[in-house]
Amino acid sequence: MSTAVSAQSTSQNLDKYYRALAADHEMNGNVLFAQDNHILYQKSFGFSDAASGKLNNPDSQFELASVSKLFTATAVLQLRDKGLVDLDQTFQHYFPTFPYPGITLRHLLSHTSGLPDIEALVNPIFAKHPDTVWSIHDDLAALIPFSKDHALGFKPGDKWSYSSLGYHLLALLVEKVSGQTLADYTRDHIFKPAGMEHSYIQTSFLQKNEAHRTRNYMYNNHYEMKLQWVDTLGDWKEWTHNLGLITGGGGIISATRDLMKFDEALRSGKLLGPATWEEACSPYRLNDGQFAQPFDITYCGLGWFIFKDSSQGRIVWGSGANPGTISFFASNLDQKQCFVVLHNVKCNPLHDLDALAILNGKPLAYHAALAFQYAHDLYTLPREQADRNVLQRVADTATYAMRESELDRASLEFRRAGLKAQALATCEMHVRLFPQSGDAYKDHAQTLAEYGQKEKAIEAYKTALHLNPNDVESQEKLKKLSGQ
């Protein structure tokens, strides 16, 4: 197969896949695929600003969330290349008041420090001071009293455990050693050398109003599918306000083409020495000699994740998620491929991981979430029509997929909204389509019990336990309902 035909088929398959996602409310944002620094596929989907009707375009700028960590890691590794820091030196060496003496810079980069994620530190503080706007400088001060009652989760280097807090500390290190704020350092030593003209670290909430910035949205539920701007949702204030100006673990605003330039700058040696870049992209070894393994399919390096399967080339990647934003950045080092997906509406992030199968010409079918279509029909149509529709569609396995977890979600959303008839209908359809599933009967039992139908709930729990005798939760709830 010629390169041209292969590139064409890859672009066509990506377009088919992401159009299908967009039709099912699972894609609102930008996609870019490049090889040898040539863009082979670039597409924008949906709204940048739903209220004004402004659409996303190739210049739209998105929050990168935790993909920002790749830039913090790059900054630290640059300082190492310049001889200004030692990765095997403790963080306490640079910040003597830091209360955990055994943690090195390498531990922080590889998420093996034993520190918790940021919520454990800040949630009690935000509960008392709900209008606080946190900064990385607050982290260090708060850790001193925190450490008196909180030991590390494990000895540094023994395990892998994700910690944005560790990357906030690395941002402090960059600022102290370089004498610049992280925003200025990243601008001067990463964005400018890489030619990333549309990227910056957010340092003011006013920057959310800039011309190319996208607004972040979530759907209110799966049966109405109304977009809600997350900045107006009190449930997400911790992320949109309290942690809205945090750096190191997040905070970078960028565009798909800029991330392609970042990839090229890393691979060409503009940003890091070859040996350092290779080290960053190599699995980190724990104290027992095993590779740090966040998930079954991937290892962790110094900031970058590394897929175990290298049959199509060695792929390093990063991903991020904040309320209303999902980001995915992957680089195939052997094939010189770059794949970037940036969303400004919450969706299932696994779809972008799945899309990696397309990059070498393999088609990938997306199956629309039939449970959520059924939920929408139940909300807008008579039940008889909704049932007819779902039973017709469930046979079309080339187009739709009926997943139990999504039926569970739909029934929960109906219950939360007080829509009793729709909640019960969803559970009854769950049992009808999955008659051998203990989870189906369990969900039905929970719903029946919530609506006071005790005897029916008891029978449903009994069936759930017949199908899954080891379900402790169902055992306990059955005992409670039966008065045992």
Side-chain angles (χ1 to χ4, degrees):
M1 181 180 292
S2 71
T3 301
V5 172
S6 177
Q8 183 181 27
S9 64
T10 299
S11 296
Q12 290 172 342
N13 289 333
L14 281 170
D15 193 57
K16 182 179 179 181
Y17 180 71
Y18 276 99
R19 283 181 182 274
L21 286 174
D24 201 35
H25 306 284
E26 287 289 334
M27 179 64 212
N28 191 104
N30 284 357
V31 186
L32 181 147
F33 170 59
Q35 187 158 14
D36 290 319
N37 305 321
H38 297 292
I39 296 174
L40 302 180
Y41 179 73
Q42 184 175 216
K43 193 83 172 182
S44 298
F45 297 88
F47 292 108
S48 170
D49 182 342
S52 68
K54 184 179 179 180
L55 300 176
N56 280 318
N57 63 69
D59 294 325
S60 294
Q61 295 169 298
F62 299 78
E63 290 185 32
L64 297 190
S66 286
V67 169
S68 304
K69 291 180 173 67
L70 303 183
F71 293 85
T72 304
T74 300
V76 173
L77 293 171
Q78 285 180 336
L79 296 176
R80 197 280 289 273
D81 276 353
K82 296 172 183 176
L84 297 176
V85 300
D86 178 353
L87 299 188
D88 295 309
Q89 185 58 267
T90 65
F91 188 78
Q92 194 180 66
H93 172 79
Y94 301 96
F95 292 88
T97 61
F98 181 66
Y100 298 106
I103 296 174
T104 67
L105 306 189
R106 197 180 297 273
H107 291 141
L108 295 174
L109 285 166
S110 59
H111 296 282
T112 59
S113 69
L115 286 169
D117 211 348
I118 185 63
E119 293 93 334
L121 179 67
V122 301
N123 282 356
I125 297 171
F126 295 162
K128 294 179 180 178
H129 307 284
D131 293 324
T132 298
V133 178
W134 200 253
S135 80
I136 54 174
H137 300 277
D138 297 318
D139 285 326
L140 190 57
L143 273 170
I144 296 171
F146 178 86
S147 67
K148 295 177 181 178
D149 298 316
H150 298 83
L152 293 176
F154 49 83
K155 179 183 176 182
D158 271 1
K159 299 178 182 180
W160 184 94
S161 183
Y162 193 81
S163 177
S164 289
L165 174 57
Y167 270 75
H168 299 177
L169 299 176
L170 290 172
L172 282 174
L173 176 78
V174 173
E175 294 194 345
K176 181 173 183 177
V177 173
S178 72
Q180 293 182 282
T181 65
L182 185 67
D184 288 347
Y185 179 92
T186 307
R187 178 197 64 208
D188 294 343
H189 298 277
I190 299 178
F191 297 152
K192 285 185 177 180
M196 299 172 66
E197 298 177 355
H198 303 286
S199 301
Y200 59 90
I201 289 181
Q202 180 171 288
T203 56
S204 167
F205 289 121
L206 293 176
Q207 291 169 307
K208 291 188 175 187
N209 299 319
E210 293 182 353
H212 294 294
R213 277 290 296 272
T214 58
R215 286 191 168 186
N216 298 333
Y217 297 92
M218 302 175 75
Y219 288 109
N220 63 331
N221 53 52
H222 289 91
Y223 55 87
E224 290 177 298
M225 299 299 286
K226 293 180 179 179
L227 284 175
Q228 297 177 308
W229 182 24
V230 296
D231 283 25
T232 66
L233 303 178
D235 287 348
W236 299 108
K237 181 181 176 181
E238 177 178 0
W239 295 98
T240 60
H241 178 76
N242 302 129
L243 294 171
L245 298 180
I246 205 72
T247 59
I252 290 183
I253 311 302
S254 192
T256 51
R257 286 182 296 201
D258 269 16
L259 287 172
M260 179 188 74
K261 293 176 181 179
F262 179 54
D263 177 61
E264 189 278 331
L266 286 167
R267 287 189 289 102
S268 65
K270 290 180 183 177
L271 300 179
L272 296 172
T276 298
W277 176 229
E278 177 64 26
E279 184 179 10
C281 297
S282 299
Y284 176 76
R285 287 192 182 275
L286 299 172
N287 292 335
D288 63 2
Q290 300 296 309
F291 289 143
Q293 181 175 313
F295 322 109
D296 290 342
I297 61 172
T298 191
Y299 298 122
C300 185
L302 301 182
W304 280 259
F305 296 129
I306 307 114
F307 282 114
K308 292 181 180 179
D309 183 1
S310 59
S311 60
Q312 299 297 323
R314 188 159 57 122
I315 299 174
V316 298
W317 62 284
S319 64
N322 273 344
T325 182
I326 301 286
S327 56
F328 184 71
F329 170 75
S331 177
N332 188 319
L333 303 180
D334 299 323
Q335 301 288 343
K336 297 182 180 179
Q337 294 173 335
C338 176
F339 182 53
V340 184
V341 191
L342 303 177
H343 303 257
N344 64 309
V345 176
K346 182 184 177 182
C347 63
N348 184 346
L350 296 180
H351 296 319
D352 299 325
L353 274 173
D354 292 341
L356 289 172
I358 300 174
L359 301 191
N360 291 288
K362 298 178 182 179
L364 176 68
Y366 172 72
H367 300 92
L370 185 51
F372 295 146
Q373 292 201 12
Y374 178 55
H376 177 73
D377 284 355
L378 282 173
Y379 185 68
T380 57
L381 301 172
R383 178 176 176 179
E384 294 76 11
Q385 182 61 51
D387 285 355
R388 282 197 298 271
N389 289 349
V390 74
L391 293 173
Q392 289 172 358
R393 292 167 180 161
V394 77
D396 183 4
T397 56
T399 306
Y400 301 101
M402 180 62 87
R403 305 175 185 93
E404 288 195 77
S405 61
E406 291 168 348
L407 283 166
D408 287 344
R409 180 68 193 181
S411 68
L412 175 63
E413 289 181 352
F414 282 136
R415 293 201 305 271
R416 286 176 173 173
L419 297 172
K420 176 180 177 180
Q422 289 86 349
L424 288 169
T426 304
C427 293
E428 289 163 9
M429 184 59 68
H430 192 172
V431 168
R432 180 174 180 176
L433 295 177
F434 297 92
Q436 299 303 312
S437 168
D439 287 340
Y441 285 93
K442 178 180 177 178
D443 185 44
H444 193 195
Q446 290 173 332
T447 304
L448 289 165
E450 187 170 322
Y451 289 126
Q453 299 184 32
K454 178 179 176 180
E455 297 305 319
K456 289 183 178 180
I458 288 173
E459 291 306 311
Y461 273 126
K462 287 180 178 179
T463 305
L465 286 167
H466 174 74
L467 294 167
N468 186 6
N470 297 320
D471 184 350
V472 176
E473 184 181 8
S474 290
Q475 291 172 2
E476 294 300 320
K477 289 190 175 183
L478 179 58
K479 286 180 182 179
K480 185 176 181 180
L481 279 175
S482 302
Q484 300 177 11

